[in-house]
Amino acid sequence: MDSDEDFLSTVSSDDDIMLDDSENDDMSNGDEFDDAFDEDPDDEPDLGLQKQKTPVAYDVGYKVYSPGDIQKQQEEMMNEVNMILEMSKEDAAILLRHFRWNKERLIEDFMDNSDKVVEAAGIVTSVANPPQLETLSEFMCDICCDDDEGLQSFAMKCGHRYCVNCYRHYLTQKIREEGEAARIQCPAEGCSRIIDARSLDLLVTPELSDRYQELLNRTYVEDKDTLKWCPAPDCENAVECGIKKKELDKVVPTVACACGYRFCFGCILSDHQPAPCELVKRWLKKCADDSETANWISANTKECPKCNSTIEKNGGCNHMTCRKCKHEFCWMCMGLWSEHGTSWYNCNRFEEKSGTDARDAQAKSRVSLERYLHYYNRYANHEQSARLDKDMYTKTEKKMVQLQSASGMSWIEVQYLNSASQALQTCRQTLKWTYAFAFYLARNNLTEIFEDNQKDLELAVENLSEMFEKPISELADSKLKVDIMDKTSYCNKRRLILLQDTAENLANGMLFDL
Amino acid sequence: MASAKRIAKGIALTYSETNIHVWTITLQGPAGTVYQGGAYTLTLTLPTEYPFKAPSVVFNTRIYHPNVTNDNAGNICLSLLKPENWKPASRIKGVLEAVRQLLVEPQPDDALEARIADEYKNNRAEFDKNAKSYVQRYAKGGADGSK
């Protein structure tokens, strides 16, 4: 069993080490990644082809799109609908947005009953004149009541006419304040006609149009289940991944954006491999709310039977005197102390059922608390270390510069420090989540394998971490460099083995005590 | 304060010359409803962006109603006033008529007070009794009603 495992994981992980290295390069130089996509003229959502040849259990196929790619995709879809259904591109765009970019359903429904579709989407079919501003005599704007001579006004095909100023004001409010773009309706009460792109181009002022375009792009990504924005601050990319919601208990769909940020496609939280989303959600909730504080209180304290003050017994005998109300009672049976009579310091009601029940509950709660704290402390420790690693990353760069001058190595030659730092961060992130994972894991013989993997990775990480903090003078030693490189690749390997193993078990329905 | 101006059936309006953004509305409890005989004061506030942003309306007089918060704030849930439904061409008169209509026909499925909505649906007699007692207690105080 063991040797089988090793054999399997070595084969697959060797490929992945290379893969991981290339990812690291992308982090330091995002342009390469972008270029790779620009060269790819095929923007159809063919998932996961650009990555590994041999799929690994913990990896999902995904693709990163820049804002330009997203724009291009939308235009291609509009062109396609425009050709098939023989309508203007503006109308095609409105229909596509109405159908949340489900092209197949749009075409099907349109063939079925075009009038109904057109009506529901808020467009009128007559291929009349393009939208334009008009100056009518004796026109009074119904919103601002302005009726000046030469007042420019606008109406869509629904005929609700308002002055240009009011129209612009309305659009500004919708676009800037309410973040609406694709589904802005006619300003008339009860009119659900949607203002089409061509009319908007005419009305939207230049300072609004950027925001408008951005919002339109956004609806495209937000409407499609297979697309999600990269949650990293200031990143404008979107990631496409075909993972289904119901698969999330079996797969942890971790994706890496071109900006270098790794996140889970299922829940948009940062990389939480190997723990599945549901487990992560529970764990975070458990840590966030004070249910554990309550647990501690129930494990370590009792309430005064008279005034309900919470009392922690920190030693001494069972004869309790409440500080607050001076009530005297027995800590064991919670009964009145005076009733204990001669059996002082030896509660004779201790074996009563209510007493034992209370004791059992307390013991149980204490055990569960200790168990939680065991896992939480390790989880929090790795989280803390990961945070420190971030500082370290900046220090690494400084170190690399120092090392260059100290040892005469070139920039390329000191990159091993960068890879080591990256490896540390990724591994700690994984380690952190293995503790949440372990907390919920039902105990069986798979648990032992998991814990062994966890131990191995932890050991590898701590070893590397220790070397990494050595002073520059020692780092310049070429023997140490080789050692660090070895340890880095070992860390990465251990991480992949762990991920591979847990992903396989997850897919086979590993048991959790959720 | 200018004299009250009747703008629709059972709805009168006053506003102050010094602040035209805040209007005071007097609403008569519609005949044939549990609110009959009550007089309700409401405050309508026009945002500076009006009419591109919806006004807000609150009850100053306490009212026992599924769609009005049962507190001193008297907030109303009116779909017409939600940003996605508000249109600049919508009329104040329409808003106030919608409020009045809410008294004629409460919307328990879109409630702000779940308990009252539940009572309205499942124990109408009790609801009617409570609503009427609120009218007696709060809505008989003349035009200002905020007793």
Side-chain angles (χ1 to χ4, degrees):
Chain A
M1 174 75 196
D2 247 357
S3 58
D4 264 351
E5 279 266 330
D6 273 348
F7 173 71
L8 277 177
S9 21
T10 330
V11 169
S12 55
S13 52
D14 266 344
D15 286 347
D16 286 302
I17 298 289
M18 290 175 51
L19 196 156
D20 243 29
D21 281 344
S22 71
E23 266 177 15
N24 285 346
D25 287 342
D26 287 329
M27 285 178 202
S28 48
N29 186 0
D31 294 339
E32 272 181 34
F33 212 71
D34 277 343
D35 288 343
F37 282 112
D38 288 343
E39 279 162 28
D40 183 5
D42 183 12
D43 271 319
E44 282 299 305
D46 51 350
L47 298 176
L49 289 181
Q50 86 278 18
K51 295 212 89 190
Q52 68 278 357
K53 283 172 205 87
T54 39
V56 232
Y58 59 84
D59 229 336
V60 289
Y62 63 91
K63 219 168 169 181
V64 184
Y65 295 116
S66 70
D69 296 334
I70 299 165
Q71 184 76 40
K72 219 165 84 191
Q73 279 183 26
Q74 296 188 43
E75 271 163 26
E76 275 168 17
M77 270 175 113
M78 287 173 204
N79 282 335
E80 211 171 321
V81 171
N82 147 268
M83 259 154 36
I84 297 172
L85 301 181
E86 291 181 332
M87 56 172 64
S88 71
K89 267 177 84 174
E90 288 76 14
D91 285 352
I94 294 178
L95 284 182
L96 275 166
R97 290 195 183 103
H98 180 75
F99 279 90
R100 303 197 171 263
W101 299 93
N102 188 336
K103 191 178 66 197
E104 287 72 28
R105 228 193 78 208
L106 157 62
I107 292 171
E108 203 172 294
D109 281 19
F110 192 87
M111 296 298 192
D112 213 30
N113 187 347
S114 61
D115 288 348
K116 208 176 123 201
V117 167
V118 156
E119 175 70 32
I123 47 177
V124 179
T125 31
S126 77
V127 215
N129 316 316
Q132 54 184 16
L133 302 181
E134 281 176 80
T135 312
L136 302 178
S137 58
E138 301 208 5
F139 164 75
M140 188 191 83
C141 174
D142 211 17
I143 296 174
C144 62
C145 299
D146 200 344
D147 58 356
D148 285 357
E149 277 295 314
L151 185 65
Q152 280 198 311
S153 65
F154 178 80
M156 286 183 295
K157 286 170 193 122
C158 55
H160 300 114
R161 183 166 292 278
Y162 302 100
C163 78
V164 163
N165 296 336
C166 283
Y167 239 112
R168 292 207 166 122
H169 225 109
Y170 174 62
L171 294 176
T172 311
Q173 169 72 21
K174 285 284 170 196
I175 293 169
R176 206 174 286 294
E177 304 298 323
E178 290 165 32
E180 187 72 60
R183 296 177 186 91
I184 305 178
Q185 297 180 344
C186 164
E189 193 172 6
C191 179
S192 59
R193 196 188 148 87
I194 287 166
I195 305 178
D196 60 283
R198 238 183 319 169
S199 303
L200 273 164
D201 287 345
L202 185 72
L203 293 161
V204 166
T205 45
E207 57 266 32
L208 260 185
S209 77
D210 284 353
R211 173 86 178 139
Y212 170 67
Q213 275 307 328
E214 193 191 320
L215 286 169
L216 277 188
N217 264 352
R218 212 185 268 181
T219 56
Y220 175 72
V221 173
E222 278 155 15
D223 281 351
K224 288 194 91 173
D225 289 338
T226 53
L227 276 177
K228 273 176 187 161
W229 293 111
C230 169
D234 294 331
C235 177
E236 292 183 312
N237 296 332
V239 177
E240 174 160 35
C241 174
I243 196 85
K244 303 264 186 330
K245 216 174 174 127
K246 60 175 189 292
E247 295 170 329
L248 287 180
D249 57 333
K250 300 223 183 293
V251 189
V252 188
T254 311
V255 300
C257 177
C259 73
Y261 186 72
R262 296 166 56 82
F263 65 98
C264 166
F265 195 83
C267 60
I268 310 298
L269 291 172
S270 72
D271 173 19
H272 58 66
Q273 273 174 328
C277 297
E278 177 61 22
L279 191 153
V280 168
K281 209 172 109 197
R282 274 176 192 253
W283 174 258
L284 290 179
K285 186 170 181 298
K286 190 176 176 63
C287 299
D289 67 20
D290 53 7
S291 67
E292 290 311 321
T293 316
N295 227 337
W296 185 91
I297 290 172
S298 84
N300 296 284
T301 69
K302 289 181 179 179
E303 274 95 51
C304 164
K306 196 176 169 200
C307 72
N308 284 328
S309 301
T310 305
I311 298 169
E312 181 192 0
K313 186 174 183 296
N314 55 5
C317 72
N318 290 330
H319 180 179
M320 306 300 291
T321 307
C322 175
R323 282 268 176 85
K324 211 166 156 194
C325 67
K326 310 290 177 213
H327 179 68
E328 290 180 59
F329 62 97
C330 167
W331 180 256
M332 284 299 173
C333 68
M334 304 302 280
L336 271 177
W337 189 255
S338 56
E339 285 175 4
H340 275 61
T342 52
S343 57
W344 291 52
Y345 303 105
N346 177 20
C347 174
N348 60 355
R349 287 195 268 170
F350 179 63
E351 292 309 324
E352 267 176 29
K353 195 173 179 312
S354 63
T356 35
D357 281 357
R359 236 161 38 93
D360 284 355
Q362 207 178 353
K364 230 178 175 174
S365 145
R366 192 171 295 141
V367 168
S368 119
L369 175 69
E370 268 167 23
R371 183 169 178 275
Y372 167 71
L373 286 178
H374 169 89
Y375 290 109
Y376 180 74
N377 285 337
R378 282 153 185 80
Y379 166 88
N381 181 34
H382 282 297
E383 190 171 59
Q384 167 81 0
S385 305
R387 221 174 293 138
L388 294 177
D389 282 346
K390 253 193 194 140
D391 301 340
M392 205 166 71
Y393 184 71
T394 36
K395 278 189 217 145
T396 313
E397 287 206 304
K398 223 185 272 167
K399 247 185 197 175
M400 279 154 62
V401 175
Q402 284 176 353
L403 192 55
Q404 266 179 282
S405 47
S407 66
M409 281 195 253
S410 71
W411 178 250
I412 302 288
E413 279 174 310
V414 295
Q415 282 302 314
Y416 73 96
L417 278 182
N418 188 24
S419 335
S421 153
Q422 294 284 359
L424 274 181
Q425 286 187 58
T426 332
C427 290
R428 280 207 194 277
Q429 180 83 358
T430 305
L431 268 177
K432 175 178 118 176
W433 284 108
T434 58
Y435 282 104
F437 188 88
F439 177 76
Y440 291 107
L441 200 55
R443 281 215 85 85
N444 55 37
N445 43 0
L446 290 175
T447 333
E448 261 173 58
I449 300 176
F450 170 76
E451 279 172 353
D452 282 348
N453 280 331
Q454 187 186 35
K455 197 179 76 198
D456 287 344
L457 177 59
E458 194 153 46
L459 219 69
V461 165
E462 296 307 337
N463 272 337
L464 179 60
S465 187
E466 200 185 314
M467 294 200 139
F468 202 71
E469 279 159 16
K470 293 224 158 108
I472 292 292
S473 53
E474 284 183 48
L475 281 178
D477 184 2
S478 68
K479 234 176 85 193
L480 191 63
K481 174 183 170 179
V482 174
D483 215 6
I484 288 187
M485 284 168 82
D486 284 350
K487 291 237 158 37
T488 304
S489 97
Y490 183 67
C491 270
N492 284 331
K493 207 181 241 172
R494 287 309 329 171
R495 175 172 166 268
L496 296 176
I497 289 170
L498 186 141
L499 291 183
Q500 176 76 16
D501 185 53
T502 46
E504 276 168 11
N505 287 332
L506 267 186
N508 297 334
M510 195 190 231
L511 288 178
F512 287 112
D513 284 331
L514 284 181
Chain B
M1 192 165 287
S3 62
K5 187 174 171 237
R6 186 178 176 280
I7 59 164
K9 194 180 168 198
I11 305 171
L13 182 154
T14 52
Y15 60 89
S16 140
E17 297 285 343
T18 52
N19 184 2
I20 58 160
H21 286 288
V22 179
W23 298 2
T24 304
I25 316 292
T26 312
L27 176 66
Q28 301 299 329
T33 71
V34 286
Y35 306 107
Q36 181 173 358
Y40 296 90
T41 347
L42 295 91
T43 301
L44 183 138
T45 312
L46 301 170
T48 44
E49 295 91 342
Y50 179 83
F52 301 101
K53 217 169 155 179
S56 69
V57 188
V58 294
F59 271 88
N60 299 342
T61 313
R62 291 283 293 263
I63 182 167
Y64 195 82
H65 192 287
N67 308 99
V68 182
T69 56
N70 192 13
D71 55 20
N72 288 327
N75 289 316
I76 315 172
C77 177
L78 209 58
S79 72
L80 189 65
L81 298 181
K82 299 224 172 95
E84 63 270 27
N85 294 330
W86 175 256
K87 294 293 188 71
S90 304
R91 301 300 166 112
I92 296 292
K93 188 178 160 188
V95 173
L96 296 176
E97 278 170 347
V99 174
R100 186 176 182 274
Q101 190 54 31
L102 211 53
L103 300 196
V104 177
E105 219 178 320
Q107 304 288 323
D109 293 326
D110 197 12
L112 275 175
E113 292 288 342
R115 192 195 58 76
I116 299 180
D118 199 49
E119 190 179 82
Y120 178 81
K121 278 201 285 195
N122 302 319
N123 190 353
R124 186 64 67 86
E126 184 65 23
F127 170 83
D128 287 356
K129 204 183 97 202
N130 284 330
K132 279 178 183 157
S133 92
Y134 263 59
V135 174
Q136 290 303 325
R137 260 166 74 196
Y138 299 107
K140 290 287 189 186
D144 100 282
S146 52
K147 198 171 71 170

